[in-house]
Structures are given as C-alpha cells and as structure tokens.
Amino acid sequence: MADGTVSDHKPGEIRRTFSTLSTGQDQNGVVQPLLTDLYQITMAYAHWKSEKRTDHAVFDLYFRKNPFRGEFTIFAGLHECLKFFNNYTFSKSDIDYLRTILPPSTEEGFFQYLSDMDLSQVTMYAIPEGSVVFPKVPLLRVEGPLPIVQLLETTLLTLVNYASLVATNAARFRMAAGPGKSLLEFGLRRAQGPDGGLSASKYCYIGGFDGTSNVLAGKLFNIPVKGTHAHAFVTSFTSLDDLKNRMLQPADQSKSLQNLVEMSQTWLDRIEGLLEILKEETHKGELASFISYAMAFPTGFLALVDTYDVLRSGIPNFVAVALSLHDLGYKSIGIRLDSGDLAYLSLRAREIFTKIADKYNLPWFAKLNIVASNDINEETIHSLNQQGHSIDTYGIGTHLVTCQRQPALGCVFKLVEVDGVARMKLSQDMEKMTLPGKKNVFRLYGHDGHALVDLMMQEKEEAPSPGQRVLCRHPFEESKRAYVIPASVEPLLKKYWFEGKICQPVQSLHDIKSRMESSLRSLRADHKRALNPTPYKVSVTAGLYQFMHDLWLHNAPIGELS
Amino acid sequence: MADGTVSDHKPGEIRRTFSTLSTGQDQNGVVQPLLTDLYQITMAYAHWKSEKRTDHAVFDLYFRKNPFRGEFTIFAGLHECLKFFNNYTFSKSDIDYLRTILPPSTEEGFFQYLSDMDLSQVTMYAIPEGSVVFPKVPLLRVEGPLPIVQLLETTLLTLVNYASLVATNAARFRMAAGPGKSLLEFGLRRAQGPDGGLSASKYCYIGGFDGTSNVLAGKLFNIPVKGTHAHAFVTSFTSLDDLKNRMLQPADQSKSLQNLVEMSQTWLDRIEGLLEILKEETHKGELASFISYAMAFPTGFLALVDTYDVLRSGIPNFVAVALSLHDLGYKSIGIRLDSGDLAYLSLRAREIFTKIADKYNLPWFAKLNIVASNDINEETIHSLNQQGHSIDTYGIGTHLVTCQRQPALGCVFKLVEVDGVARMKLSQDMEKMTLPGKKNVFRLYGHDGHALVDLMMQEKEEAPSPGQRVLCRHPFEESKRAYVIPASVEPLLKKYWFEGKICQPVQSLHDIKSRMESSLRSLRADHKRALNPTPYKVSVTAGLYQFMHDLWLHNAPIGELS
C-alpha cells in the first residue's frame, strides 16, 4: 500500500507461475498458426510445390531504429513466442477454413503437410527477455525447414513488436520519474482493445512500473493492482443525507463504534482557519463520498480531490476525514489529482499537509501520498521535474499504452541463409540492408561493467575473449572502425527452442523485470538520457564485413548509373 | 480476386454469424467482469456499504473531440459490448482472487453480492453501430443500479474506444483513396499484440476496407483475406536451378503439360527490346521465385517486384511469366510495389503493361492490378493523388492499425443522473463539462437528405417533428443558436439491452459496414474533407440549455474570483 492505493496483490497467496498460463484462462487463446498473414500460407504452398520443404533456412528477427528518439530498446515478448511454439498445430477447423480460401487446384498433399506440421525441426536462439537491445542485432534467430520457419514470421512479429515497444516506453517513464516514485499503469480503457490492455499491463510491469489498475492483469500475471475511486463516485453523492451508515469501528476493536460524519464535520470546523477556507464552501456531496469511501476502506483511504475545487473543497474535505480516521486509529494514504496544474497543486497540497502535521504533531501527515494522473506523458514528467513538484505516484494511461510518440516498433523477420548459403535483400537505402548469413552476437563490456559495443560475427568465427583486442567495424561505413579490448564478453544469443522443446528455464515476469533493471544499469547514462542520447555502437567483425560486402557486390544487378 | 491477390473468402461457404462468436473460438475470451480497473470494484464496495446498491443511476458514454483533426467519428464496438453484457458473471475464481486483493475487513456480503450479480436490472440505449457520430452525444446510455453500472465503465470504454478510432481511421483512408480503389489491411504485425490485430482487421473492414491479410480474422469474422508473397520468398531462390518442378498443366485440361521455365526464358528474350533492358540484367533467383509462385497459383499470379530492381528486373521477370501463363490460358493478376517512389513506379509499370497490351493485342494486360504497400498513411494517399499515379490497391498496415496520427480516442463514461436527480462534474475547462440528466438525441435532416444537426434534450421533452421549427442551441455558448426546420428526424438512441436480454436484431459485420456507408453518405462533404473540415453542429434544446446552466450555478462552490 506504500503507493497510496487500496490494494497490493499479496505475493504467494495466488501462486501462478508465468509458464502455467499456457493452459486454462489465458489472454492468448488467439495466438495460433492462423494468426498470420495469408501470404505466409501461400508462400508455404509455393515452397512445398517447389520441393523446397527440406531446405534449411535461417531467419533473423530485428529492428532497424530505436523507438521514441532514444538509443535503446527493451526486448520483450519472448515467453509468448515460446508458448506459441509449444502449441503450434493446425486444427482440423483451420484446415477446413484454408480449403475455402485457397484455390480449388491446391493439392491435397499440402493440407496433409500442414495437418502434420510441428516445430520439432525448428531451432530458436534468442536474447534473454528483458535485455537492453539495439538496432540490427538479431533478437531471435530461427532456423529450420524453409516453409515452416517462414510461416512463423507474422505471429513472432506481433508478439515481439508491441511487447518491446511498450516495455521500452515504460522504462523511459521510469527513468524520467526517477527510482523514488511509484508508477502505476492505468491504460486499459485506451488500449487497442481488451488484449492490448492486458499486454500493456504485463509489459509495462516488466519495463519498470510498480502496478496496474487492470484487475484481470493482476489475476493472470500476478502483478500488483491498484485503484481508488473516480469522479463519478464523488458525484454519486449530493449531501451528507446520502450517508446511511455513519458508524465506524475504531482500529482498536475493543472500542465502541464512532460517528464518522459528526467527527468529520467537527474537524472541518477546526481546520477552516488553518486552511483559510470557509467550511460552507466545501462540497457536501464530495465530503459524503469521502466518508463513504473511508468507511469502506479505513486502512486505505485515498481521495480524488479535484471534482469541484481542489484547494477550497477537495483537500479540506480530505483532511477532515483523514484526521477523523486518525482519531479512530487509522492512517490515511493520500490524495489523487486528475486535472489542473499538477506541479502547483501538488506543492500546495504538500504545504497544507505539512501545516497539519506541524499543528497537530502528526509527522506522517506531511508525507501523505500525492498521486497525479492527468494525461501524463514522458515530457510532462520532465517538465514537472524542472518546475518542482511534490508528486509521489504517477498514474499513466493513454501515452503509456498507445506509445503516442511512436506507436509501432518496426521489427522485421529476414531470411539470411538457405542450405548454408547466405541471402540478402538489397536496398537503395543502406539502413535497410540485411546482414546476411547465420550470425553470433557478443556484448563486450569495459572494466567499469558498462557495455561498450555489440559485435556480430559469422558463426564459424571465434568468439572474442576478455583481454584480447578485437576489431569492431561499422556494418556499412568503411571508415568507422575501432579496436576494443573487452574486460568481459557476453554471448547474447541463447538456444531457447530445440527438438520441439523449450530448452531454457522458464523465467517468471519478476525474473524478466529484474533482468531489465540490471541490463539497463549496464548501459552508460549518456545512451539513456532523454535529450540527444549518444548512439550505442553495434558492429561487425572484419570477417563479417568482408563477407557482406562481397555478397552485396555479387548480388547487385549489373546496371548503368542513371 | 478482383483486388489482385490470391484469395477471396467465398461468402456462404463458411456461414458464421457474428452473433455465434460469443461461444467457442472467439478472440474475446478475456472480456469478462475482471477486465476492469480496480477502482470500479472498490467503488462498488463503498457504494454497497453505503446502502446505495439500489440507487438508480444513468451514465453516458461519449467522446469530446473527433480524432485525426477531423469532424466525424464512426461508432463501433457495440456488438462486443452486448456480448460482454450477455456473459456478465463473476466466477468463483474471480471472487477468490478479489478476496486476495481487497482488505481483510471487506465484508462477506459484498462477495456474495458480486457472485449473485447479473445485468437483468440494467438497460442500455445505444446509437446503432456503424453510425457517424459527434462529440458530446451519448453513444451509449446505461441505466440501472449505481454500483453495477459503475462496474461496467472500463470494459465498455475499452471495447468502444479503439474500435471507433480504427473504424474512423479506415473510413478516412477510404475517402482519401476514393471508391474505385481496393484497400487491404496488413497491420497484424504492428498492432498492439494478437487481439489488437484482430480488432483492427474487424473494425477496418467496418470502416470501409475490402479485406485483410489476417487469416484468423478471416476465419472468425468472415472477412475476405488477401495475400501474395514476401521478399523472403524471392530471396529464397538463387537461380533457375532451384526449380525442381517446371511443368505446368494448361487451363485447358485436355492439353499436355508445358515447361514454364523455358517459356518464361523465351518471353524474356522476346520482350527485352520492348522493355529496353538486357535479359541478363534480370535477377534469375527472382525469376525462379516468380515461376514457383505461378506454378502454385496459376490463376492468382501477383508478384512482388521490388526485391532487386523494379524496372530492370522485377517487372521484366513478371511480364515474362505472365505472358507464359497467358499462353497456357491463365490471366495474371498484377504486381506489388513495396518500396521506392510509388507514384513514379506505378506510372512506369502501367506504361510497360500498356506497351505489352498494344504489342501483343492483350487489352487486359494494360489493366493489371498494381498494389502499393510501403508504410502508407492518409497523407501519402492524398499526395499520390496530387502527383498522379496508377495504383489500384493499397495494402496498409502500421499507420492504419496504430492510428499513428492520434492513437487513442478519449471516450468517457459519466454519471449524469441518480434517482431522477441530474448530476454533473464541473470543470474549469468548459469542453470537459458533463451534460447532466437523462437525455434523448435526435438527428435532424434537411430536404436533400443531409444531416443538419444533432439535438439533445431532456427525456421529458417532446421529440422534434418534421416540418416543425425547433430551436437548437450550442450547449455552452449563449450566443450560438439557430432555428431549424427538419425535413426528417431520426431518434439516435435505441434500446439494445433490457431485462437481461439483447432486444434488437443482431447485426452482422456486413450490416454494420453498410450502415457506416449510408450514414457517412448522409454527412455533407464539407464535414468530411481532409483539410479544415466544417464542424458538424451538436446542439441542445432551450429546455436542456436552461436546465444545465441552472444546475451549473447551483453546483459551483461559492468562491472569490482570484
């Protein structure tokens, strides 16, 4: 309850591991082989007809540009990809449907091929979920029979793209707010439908949020859920006459019931001078709603104070009820501001709470939680920090879950090798070139533990060693190269799927969140700053550079300059 | 197949009505009472404790501003709201979970109350799904016991917000492209996860798209699915040696198999002069991939021509294969462009197709379908229209499904009445004021069939009549008012949910799409134009105006001007 809202999920009471979610109540019932683009199926048929079904293909899943004008990305969605692999089967009803959309000439053998398909011949390497990742580096490397691996493209992209985007956005909000603040995700109502909301809750938690308002996300993923009340709750009361129950049991159960309405009115009398208001000014429907809420949640009282007038009505009403609760042995939590000038109002609120704390010798009153939640984006938080404010907790919805600043991450899934022969798609745009062939990736760290550079190489090349000098080249620009002597070396790609099974220990959401935190810590501050961050270097070995550029020349059509 | 892609869903072969989707395989298994914000549950408990469980509340669901700097919105998501109502039950596992997150002091009676809860006492009025709608007008009016209706808020918002946003976006793309073009939704990989993608496919179809690439959306919603092949398919072939099957059966089944590889090479010889290329220039891996695809889909041949060089390789290879297919009795579909200058390349492609049509007397060749699909947004289409182009079909992904220009619609759910007494939330910002009380809404039409104005009134007021003069006032600005004599009057709110049942005929997706088309047609062109559209007028009667402003004065706290 430290965040000032009614409820924490009590860890341990419902033990639901992340991995057991693939059965039973699960948001991702729709993740199945048909959740794909039709062209994946038509390509599979053409490959099948061309007898390419045993060609051994290697695909890389990567993105070309970090989102949000930043210089890092948090990789998320891997666990969902593994669940998708684990459950990969075309049902009879899928096959029946495909018969209706493919041409009548489609051969029966192809439908049988799909019916029999499984991923036992597919191998997937991945960077661990929650890692900080960079452009061009494969997040997933998927190998296996060409038509089968091609079929996986769209679903893998849909599972990785939004997950990584929103986790990155959450991490940026966390960095803006600083480690001392609470961050709550309130985005369900503005997400891309029900599952968009659930995905947002899960991946924002990974990215550094403390909880969500989404109850189902709490239930499914064991994430803390938080919440208080809305304006409608306040306006549902018009006067103190609306209160039928007025008696509250003090915290000390041996004491007798007390009339919370009378106590609150008395306190309003006592504080009107101190708060420089007239007690008649405070809205009595609002006071009634606060009392009603306090009766229901005496240990979790947090009031939304901006329905009428924050300083003349909301805060005085809150203070009166909170002091009454204190007389009965209960500590209140705080207030929520959902409109107006959040910097000014939070400072004024803190001033009032401090006055009360001093006057009545209640030091905890000065530390009441102030929650702010009005259409907040990353820039709002930076601006609040500059102005000075007294907000403890941010509730963030729209801008977080829709990633308003950049609502899509452009991961792609590119064929890089068939039967041991490297492939690449040429492009006029150098940034769009594929890095061909099966590659390994290493992260090189300096003596201070910070990541220096990511280094891609051909699979046959020897891994870099700590203390050994290694040449790191820019993949496309000939003049950019540097020798690096790493203090330590981390192989980024690990084998996650092999012979039809997940072959790494399943990570809980909390494990992934921890990895995100440690991985982000290993990144130098200048790569992470909000304004003009320094790009992190992604490089290739001299061997891979030469190989790529030879292949590029070999593949380019012979033309004339025009 | 008119759109130039492999497959149309054949209507009738799978008859799956929209309404049967609530059972069985359905994307919205996650739509359930716990898909809500925690504060809805805590408010319900406070209301329950305050003995307000039988208070009769009226809530309006509406938005304050049209999206995309436009002046209209398409209302969508109603059918999903009705399915949510129909299935509304707290399961035992839900209650068990809530016990772990609510304070131990929560009374047992409340959990029993939730367990017993159903929506038999709730009534919902709505504007028909697919209608053009405007700010401030209630899209839904939900009435019933206060705590129960309050509990519905978040889920209704999450079902309406994105659905209406993306349907509106789709309608804008349709208007930009014009009625003669095909529009295909390709957004699955960039949507907010799996269900974001499914919702996008469904509501883009309602909003005016012709089909989707998303196979599962096709299966679940009976939407046409479309698709061809990707760059990876092209790069998966390196030379003609990759083709093991080379023989194709002509359309006339009595004829003998022909070697499509040899035919295509011969055609490449014959056209090199006409196309001003060297046949050695065309990429032979690309040619092999086109032949492979044509062998699999001789009646649906559409080639992605930009893997290497559109004019020197992709189009010549396509033409050679298409002419070979023609010799065998098959008509090809066309090409897809996924990079480069789409206006220029489409015009050049059309020029080449026309040359071929003239030279070989094949008029259909000049009309081949040109599909464009590279990161297209609404402005791209307007710009293409200005430049001149020859694109027939647009495949649109990221910008469509993420609604990049404005990724959230801000629908709200506001309490407007309790036990017959109107409520309103005051706000410093006039646009944020609630219109209090239970209201009816009428759309007034002129003699030419165009909508003139939406008029809200108190429930007790008499409906406007055709031919009768009625005063329409701006809800907040005193000086803005006008008399209107409507030629016809449409009551917008219809009763959809009453006594625990859906009480209107269930609309199919196709019905909703038709309604969108006719409703949008009834809107004057100047309200719909892309640049500086005229705002459509939303008004209140003199009676409602007076009532609102009295209530406003009555509710405002007495303060000093500061």
Side-chain angles (χ1 to χ4, degrees):
Chain A
M1 307 225 212
D3 304 303
T5 41
V6 145
S7 165
D8 256 321
H9 188 116
K10 295 173 194 74
E13 286 198 42
I14 295 196
R15 263 289 153 234
R16 198 183 298 270
T17 70
F18 196 26
S19 62
T20 59
L21 290 174
S22 46
T23 55
Q25 190 177 46
D26 184 355
Q27 110 232 47
N28 279 331
V30 300
V31 178
Q32 47 182 283
L34 285 200
L35 186 77
T36 189
D37 293 310
L38 180 61
Y39 76 0
Q40 310 293 5
I41 313 267
T42 57
M43 284 191 278
Y45 181 55
H47 276 142
W48 180 86
K49 286 244 334 164
S50 298
E51 295 182 16
K52 290 177 92 60
R53 69 198 86 157
T54 59
D55 284 15
H56 185 81
V58 181
F59 284 79
D60 282 350
L61 187 150
Y62 63 96
F63 60 90
R64 297 190 180 110
K65 206 173 165 333
N66 289 302
F68 314 122
R69 280 170 267 153
E71 291 295 345
F72 72 92
T73 299
I74 304 294
F75 170 49
L78 174 60
H79 187 85
E80 291 298 313
C81 295
L82 291 168
K83 286 196 329 201
F84 167 57
F85 273 36
N86 225 2
N87 298 322
Y88 196 89
T89 326
F90 285 89
S91 69
K92 183 171 174 309
S93 118
D94 293 341
I95 301 291
D96 290 347
Y97 175 68
L98 290 177
R99 279 183 209 280
T100 71
I101 60 168
L102 291 174
S105 61
T106 310
E107 292 176 40
E108 186 52 34
F110 177 64
F111 295 114
Q112 194 54 51
Y113 170 71
L114 291 180
S115 300
D116 296 342
M117 190 175 284
D118 64 37
L119 303 189
S120 59
Q121 294 173 76
V122 171
T123 305
M124 179 163 72
Y125 291 80
I127 297 179
E129 187 161 6
S131 300
V132 172
V133 291
F134 304 98
K136 302 186 199 79
V137 173
L139 311 176
L140 304 180
R141 188 178 87 205
V142 191
E143 312 175 15
L146 173 60
I148 299 182
V149 181
Q150 178 69 64
L151 276 171
L152 306 173
E153 175 180 33
T154 308
T155 323
L156 292 177
L157 288 174
T158 202
L159 291 173
V160 168
N161 264 328
Y162 178 65
S164 300
L165 184 74
V166 77
T168 307
N169 203 23
R172 296 181 63 90
F173 274 92
R174 164 55 69 202
M175 291 193 310
K181 304 297 177 184
S182 259
L183 290 177
L184 306 178
E185 177 272 311
F186 284 177
L188 176 56
R189 62 188 64 191
R190 303 289 164 79
Q192 278 186 13
D195 177 66
L198 283 172
S199 300
S201 303
K202 180 163 68 171
Y203 294 112
C204 289
Y205 183 65
I206 286 179
F209 272 55
D210 299 298
T212 177
S213 64
N214 182 339
V215 186
L216 188 60
K219 184 181 176 192
L220 290 175
F221 309 128
N222 194 22
I223 299 174
V225 283
K226 308 279 184 171
T228 53
H229 64 81
H231 294 118
F233 183 79
V234 177
T235 57
S236 73
F237 292 81
T238 46
S239 76
L240 292 169
D241 297 340
D242 283 349
L243 292 169
K244 278 149 204 147
N245 285 328
R246 295 165 169 242
M247 306 301 285
L248 181 63
Q249 174 65 54
D252 179 344
Q253 299 283 323
S254 67
K255 294 196 179 152
S256 61
L257 295 180
Q258 301 290 317
N259 187 318
L260 193 62
V261 178
E262 282 174 13
M263 292 174 73
S264 300
Q265 286 178 297
T266 307
W267 267 114
L268 214 45
D269 279 343
R270 293 172 65 187
I271 60 174
E272 70 172 341
L274 191 67
L275 269 51
E276 294 167 18
I277 53 137
L278 296 171
K279 68 176 178 176
E280 293 78 17
E281 277 184 18
T282 77
H283 196 286
K284 293 303 169 289
E286 183 183 56
L287 179 61
S289 75
F290 289 0
I291 293 171
S292 162
Y293 201 78
M295 303 268 291
F297 300 102
T299 59
F301 180 53
L302 191 148
L304 175 63
V305 294
D306 69 338
T307 305
Y308 301 106
D309 185 310
V310 173
L311 298 172
R312 293 177 173 280
S313 182
I315 290 181
N317 279 334
F318 163 78
V319 170
V321 177
L323 290 171
S324 307
L325 283 175
H326 176 77
D327 289 344
L328 301 180
Y330 298 108
K331 263 192 201 168
S332 295
I333 303 288
I335 59 166
R336 178 159 75 96
L337 299 167
D338 191 43
S339 60
D341 182 332
L342 299 175
Y344 171 75
L345 290 172
S346 67
L347 290 169
R348 286 297 309 273
R350 184 70 64 205
E351 211 177 285
I352 294 167
F353 296 159
T354 306
K355 259 191 201 169
I356 299 284
D358 293 348
K359 168 95 175 183
Y360 299 105
N361 193 25
L362 302 171
W364 63 271
F365 215 97
K367 293 184 193 126
L368 282 167
N369 197 317
I370 300 177
V371 183
S373 60
N374 181 32
D375 211 21
I376 292 170
N377 61 26
E378 197 187 327
E379 288 72 35
T380 317
I381 298 180
H382 288 300
S383 155
L384 286 166
N385 291 343
Q386 284 182 332
Q387 295 169 69
H389 67 86
S390 199
I391 296 161
D392 303 292
T393 300
Y394 294 98
I396 305 178
T398 312
H399 292 277
L400 177 64
V401 306
T402 66
C403 302
Q404 194 123 15
R405 198 170 175 183
Q406 179 183 325
L409 180 67
C411 278
V412 294
F413 189 71
K414 293 290 174 191
L415 179 66
V416 295
E417 189 176 300
V418 181
D419 284 342
V421 181
R423 301 296 158 100
M424 75 191 298
K425 181 195 173 299
L426 296 174
S427 173
Q428 314 287 68
D429 180 357
M430 239 188 317
E431 289 297 300
K432 279 196 162 190
M433 304 275 281
T434 320
L435 302 189
K438 192 192 278 193
K439 295 174 289 298
N440 276 332
V441 193
F442 297 87
R443 185 160 293 171
L444 312 188
Y445 292 90
H447 285 285
D448 61 358
H450 281 136
L452 298 172
V453 63
D454 282 6
L455 179 63
M456 288 182 274
M457 57 176 60
Q458 291 180 280
E459 209 203 13
K460 63 183 182 194
E461 292 183 82
E462 209 181 313
S465 304
Q468 300 290 312
R469 198 175 77 150
V470 56
L471 181 62
C472 298
R473 298 198 62 162
H474 187 285
F476 305 119
E477 295 179 42
E478 191 160 10
S479 63
K480 291 193 180 169
R481 47 177 125 185
Y483 282 105
V484 175
I485 302 175
S488 65
V489 172
E490 182 190 16
L492 289 185
L493 289 170
K494 294 184 185 3
K495 197 192 281 184
Y496 275 85
W497 178 265
F498 185 58
E499 294 185 341
K501 288 197 183 64
I502 298 173
C503 54
Q504 292 279 342
V506 170
Q507 302 288 294
S508 75
L509 212 55
H510 308 82
D511 298 335
I512 298 169
K513 189 181 176 73
S514 303
R515 173 151 195 109
M516 186 285 298
E517 287 161 356
S518 63
S519 187
L520 201 54
R521 259 199 306 278
S522 76
L523 196 63
R524 270 195 345 247
D526 60 315
H527 300 307
K528 294 183 282 193
R529 69 179 169 227
L531 195 67
N532 296 329
T534 316
Y536 177 84
K537 288 194 178 53
V538 170
S539 66
V540 298
T541 55
L544 179 54
Y545 183 90
Q546 197 56 50
F547 174 72
M548 279 167 49
H549 287 255
D550 288 351
L551 194 70
W552 181 11
L553 283 175
H554 177 77
N555 269 275
I558 305 149
E560 289 157 52
L561 284 175
S562 55
Chain B
M1 307 226 212
D3 303 302
T5 43
V6 144
S7 166
D8 254 322
H9 189 117
K10 295 173 195 74
E13 288 199 41
I14 295 198
R15 266 288 153 237
R16 198 186 299 269
T17 71
F18 197 24
S19 61
T20 58
L21 289 175
S22 46
T23 54
Q25 192 178 44
D26 184 355
Q27 112 232 45
N28 280 332
V30 300
V31 178
Q32 49 182 285
L34 285 200
L35 186 77
T36 190
D37 293 309
L38 179 62
Y39 77 0
Q40 310 293 4
I41 312 267
T42 57
M43 286 192 277
Y45 180 55
H47 276 142
W48 180 86
K49 285 244 339 165
S50 298
E51 293 181 18
K52 290 179 91 61
R53 69 198 87 158
T54 60
D55 284 14
H56 184 82
V58 181
F59 283 79
D60 284 350
L61 186 149
Y62 63 96
F63 60 90
R64 297 188 180 112
K65 205 172 164 337
N66 289 302
F68 314 122
R69 280 170 266 152
E71 291 296 345
F72 73 91
T73 300
I74 306 293
F75 170 49
L78 174 59
H79 186 86
E80 291 298 311
C81 295
L82 290 167
K83 286 198 327 201
F84 167 58
F85 274 36
N86 226 2
N87 298 321
Y88 196 89
T89 326
F90 284 90
S91 69
K92 182 171 177 308
S93 119
D94 293 341
I95 301 291
D96 289 346
Y97 176 68
L98 290 176
R99 279 183 208 280
T100 70
I101 60 169
L102 291 173
S105 61
T106 310
E107 292 175 40
E108 185 54 33
F110 177 65
F111 295 113
Q112 194 55 50
Y113 170 72
L114 291 180
S115 299
D116 295 343
M117 189 174 286
D118 63 39
L119 304 189
S120 59
Q121 294 173 77
V122 171
T123 305
M124 178 164 72
Y125 292 80
I127 297 181
E129 187 162 5
S131 300
V132 172
V133 291
F134 304 99
K136 302 187 199 77
V137 174
L139 311 176
L140 304 179
R141 188 178 88 206
V142 191
E143 312 175 16
L146 173 60
I148 299 183
V149 181
Q150 177 69 64
L151 275 172
L152 306 173
E153 175 181 33
T154 308
T155 324
L156 293 176
L157 289 174
T158 201
L159 291 173
V160 169
N161 265 329
Y162 178 66
S164 300
L165 183 74
V166 76
T168 307
N169 203 22
R172 296 181 63 90
F173 274 93
R174 164 55 69 202
M175 293 194 308
K181 305 296 177 186
S182 258
L183 290 177
L184 306 178
E185 177 272 312
F186 284 177
L188 175 57
R189 63 188 65 191
R190 303 289 165 80
Q192 277 185 14
D195 179 66
L198 282 170
S199 301
S201 302
K202 179 163 70 174
Y203 295 112
C204 288
Y205 183 66
I206 287 179
F209 271 55
D210 298 297
T212 177
S213 63
N214 182 338
V215 185
L216 188 61
K219 183 182 178 192
L220 290 174
F221 309 129
N222 196 21
I223 299 174
V225 282
K226 308 279 183 172
T228 54
H229 64 82
H231 293 119
F233 183 78
V234 177
T235 57
S236 74
F237 292 81
T238 47
S239 76
L240 293 170
D241 296 340
D242 284 349
L243 293 169
K244 278 151 204 148
N245 286 327
R246 296 166 168 239
M247 307 301 287
L248 181 62
Q249 174 65 56
D252 180 345
Q253 299 282 322
S254 67
K255 292 198 180 150
S256 61
L257 296 180
Q258 300 290 315
N259 187 318
L260 193 62
V261 178
E262 281 173 13
M263 293 174 73
S264 300
Q265 285 178 296
T266 307
W267 267 115
L268 214 45
D269 278 343
R270 292 172 65 187
I271 59 174
E272 69 171 340
L274 191 69
L275 268 54
E276 295 166 17
I277 53 138
L278 296 171
K279 68 177 178 172
E280 293 77 20
E281 277 184 18
T282 75
H283 196 287
K284 293 306 171 286
E286 183 183 59
L287 179 61
S289 75
F290 290 0
I291 293 172
S292 163
Y293 201 78
M295 304 269 292
F297 301 102
T299 60
F301 180 53
L302 191 148
L304 176 62
V305 294
D306 69 338
T307 305
Y308 301 106
D309 184 312
V310 173
L311 298 172
R312 295 179 172 277
S313 181
I315 290 182
N317 280 333
F318 165 77
V319 170
V321 177
L323 289 171
S324 308
L325 283 175
H326 175 75
D327 290 342
L328 301 181
Y330 298 108
K331 264 192 201 168
S332 295
I333 303 287
I335 58 166
R336 178 159 74 96
L337 299 167
D338 192 42
S339 60
D341 182 332
L342 298 174
Y344 170 75
L345 290 173
S346 68
L347 290 170
R348 285 297 308 273
R350 184 69 67 207
E351 212 176 284
I352 293 167
F353 296 159
T354 307
K355 259 192 202 170
I356 299 284
D358 293 348
K359 166 96 177 184
Y360 300 105
N361 194 25
L362 302 171
W364 62 271
F365 214 98
K367 291 181 194 130
L368 281 168
N369 197 317
I370 299 176
V371 184
S373 59
N374 181 31
D375 209 24
I376 292 170
N377 61 26
E378 198 186 328
E379 288 72 35
T380 315
I381 299 180
H382 288 299
S383 155
L384 286 167
N385 291 343
Q386 283 183 332
Q387 295 170 69
H389 67 84
S390 198
I391 296 161
D392 303 291
T393 299
Y394 294 98
I396 305 179
T398 312
H399 292 277
L400 177 65
V401 307
T402 65
C403 302
Q404 193 123 14
R405 199 170 173 182
Q406 180 185 325
L409 181 67
C411 277
V412 294
F413 189 72
K414 292 289 174 191
L415 179 67
V416 296
E417 190 177 296
V418 181
D419 284 342
V421 181
R423 302 297 159 100
M424 74 191 298
K425 181 198 172 299
L426 296 173
S427 173
Q428 313 287 68
D429 179 358
M430 240 192 310
E431 289 297 302
K432 280 196 160 189
M433 304 274 281
T434 318
L435 303 188
K438 193 194 280 198
K439 295 173 292 295
N440 276 333
V441 193
F442 297 87
R443 185 160 292 170
L444 312 188
Y445 292 89
H447 286 284
D448 61 358
H450 281 137
L452 299 172
V453 63
D454 282 6
L455 179 64
M456 287 181 275
M457 56 177 56
Q458 290 180 281
E459 209 204 12
K460 63 183 182 195
E461 292 183 81
E462 209 181 313
S465 302
Q468 300 291 311
R469 198 175 78 150
V470 56
L471 182 62
C472 298
R473 299 198 60 161
H474 186 285
F476 306 118
E477 295 179 42
E478 190 157 13
S479 64
K480 291 192 181 170
R481 45 176 127 186
Y483 282 105
V484 175
I485 303 176
S488 65
V489 172
E490 181 190 17
L492 288 186
L493 289 170
K494 294 184 186 2
K495 197 192 280 184
Y496 275 85
W497 178 265
F498 186 57
E499 295 185 339
K501 288 197 183 62
I502 298 172
C503 55
Q504 292 280 341
V506 170
Q507 303 288 293
S508 74
L509 210 56
H510 308 81
D511 298 336
I512 297 168
K513 188 180 176 74
S514 303
R515 172 149 197 113
M516 185 285 298
E517 286 161 357
S518 63
S519 187
L520 201 53
R521 260 198 306 279
S522 76
L523 196 62
R524 268 196 346 249
D526 60 313
H527 299 307
K528 293 183 283 193
R529 70 178 170 229
L531 195 68
N532 295 329
T534 316
Y536 177 85
K537 289 195 174 54
V538 171
S539 65
V540 298
T541 57
L544 178 54
Y545 183 91
Q546 198 55 52
F547 174 73
M548 277 167 48
H549 288 254
D550 288 352
L551 194 70
W552 182 11
L553 284 176
H554 177 77
N555 269 276
I558 305 150
E560 289 159 51
L561 284 175
S562 56

